[in-house]
């Protein structure tokens, strides 16, 4: 009798722990999906600001319209970067520390590169640098590093 009761208690505890573990996994997976989707969208947008062939185009419009469209993209990216950081910080308690640190590092790399590039874009708009100087080899290297980090995430 006592052994049967202990066995039932053990089974109940095991079932409860399995339920908690499954719920924790489901929660972590959902957070991971949201974060990686957001990071991917940010990286894609960052690529379109770096690669000349992806610069916003409105054929037949003035350069001012193109620049205005780029500023619009930058404002959206600023919001995306802020939302990504908030999403990560809000869910820090629910994901493993290693995943948190990897996501944080990737978000910081991507947003730092964005701010570096936006400053250079402002220099371009003010006439301090040429269109060819808007993107440097270090930008391309940084994007490659960001992409590699994302691929292993």
């Amino acid at each position: 009798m006592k052994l049967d009761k202990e066995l039932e208690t053990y089974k109940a505890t095991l079932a409860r722990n399995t339920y908690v573990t499954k719920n924790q996994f489901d929660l972590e997976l959902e957070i991971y999906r949201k974060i990686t989707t957001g990071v991917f969208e940010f990286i894609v947008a960052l690529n379109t600001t770096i690669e000349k062939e992806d610069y916003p185009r409105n054929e037949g419009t003035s350069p001012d319209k193109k620049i205005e469209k780029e500023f619009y993209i930058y404002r959206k990216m600023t919001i995306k970067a802020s939302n990504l950081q908030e999403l990560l910080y809000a869910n820090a308690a629910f994901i493993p520390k290693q995943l948190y640190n990897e996501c944080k590092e990737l978000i910081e790399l991507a947003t730092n590169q964005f701010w570096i590039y936006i400053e250079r874009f402002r220099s371009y708009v003010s006439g301090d640098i040429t269109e060819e100087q808007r993107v440097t080899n270090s930008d391309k290297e940084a994007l490659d590093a960001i992409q590699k980090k994302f691929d292993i995430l």
Side-chain angles (χ1 to χ4, degrees):
M1 273 295 192
K2 184 177 179 183
L3 189 57
D4 288 337
K5 187 175 181 177
E6 287 178 8
L7 182 59
E8 287 303 315
T9 303
Y10 176 74
K11 284 182 183 179
T13 302
L14 186 59
R16 187 178 67 247
N17 289 345
T18 301
Y19 175 77
V20 169
T21 302
K22 183 186 178 328
N23 281 351
Q24 178 67 21
F25 173 80
D26 291 345
L27 179 63
E28 287 175 13
L29 183 61
E30 183 62 27
I31 294 167
Y32 175 79
R33 284 183 180 151
K34 286 179 182 177
I35 291 171
T36 54
T37 298
V39 170
F40 178 76
E41 290 171 356
F42 189 83
I43 291 171
V44 168
L46 185 59
N47 267 324
T48 64
T49 64
I50 299 291
E51 297 300 328
K52 186 172 182 173
E53 61 270 11
D54 292 325
Y55 287 175
R57 288 185 194 81
N58 289 332
E59 298 307 326
T61 62
S62 70
D64 291 341
K65 292 279 184 192
K66 291 179 185 180
I67 290 171
E68 183 180 314
K69 187 170 181 180
E70 285 194 58
F71 274 120
Y72 172 75
I73 291 169
Y74 295 138
R75 285 189 297 275
K76 281 178 51 178
M77 287 179 66
T78 303
I79 292 167
K80 277 185 185 282
S82 175
N83 290 345
L84 270 175
Q85 289 171 337
E86 286 176 21
L87 177 65
L88 182 65
Y89 297 149
N91 291 290
F94 306 107
I95 58 176
K97 187 174 183 172
Q98 180 181 351
L99 178 60
Y100 171 84
N101 288 337
E102 289 171 357
C103 289
K104 184 176 182 222
E105 182 181 358
L106 181 58
I107 291 168
E108 286 173 354
L109 277 173
T111 54
N112 286 344
Q113 182 58 34
F114 169 68
W115 291 116
I116 289 168
Y117 185 71
I118 191 86
E119 284 304 313
R120 202 170 308 116
F121 177 71
R122 287 183 176 138
S123 295
Y124 165 72
V125 170
S126 67
D128 296 336
I129 63 172
T130 65
E131 186 170 314
E132 291 73 32
Q133 293 171 311
R134 285 178 65 176
V135 179
T136 66
N137 287 336
S138 65
D139 293 324
K140 293 176 182 176
E141 290 168 6
L143 282 174
D144 287 344
I146 290 166
Q147 188 61 51
K148 285 178 185 170
K149 283 234 178 263
F150 181 78
D151 289 344
I152 60 172
L153 187 63

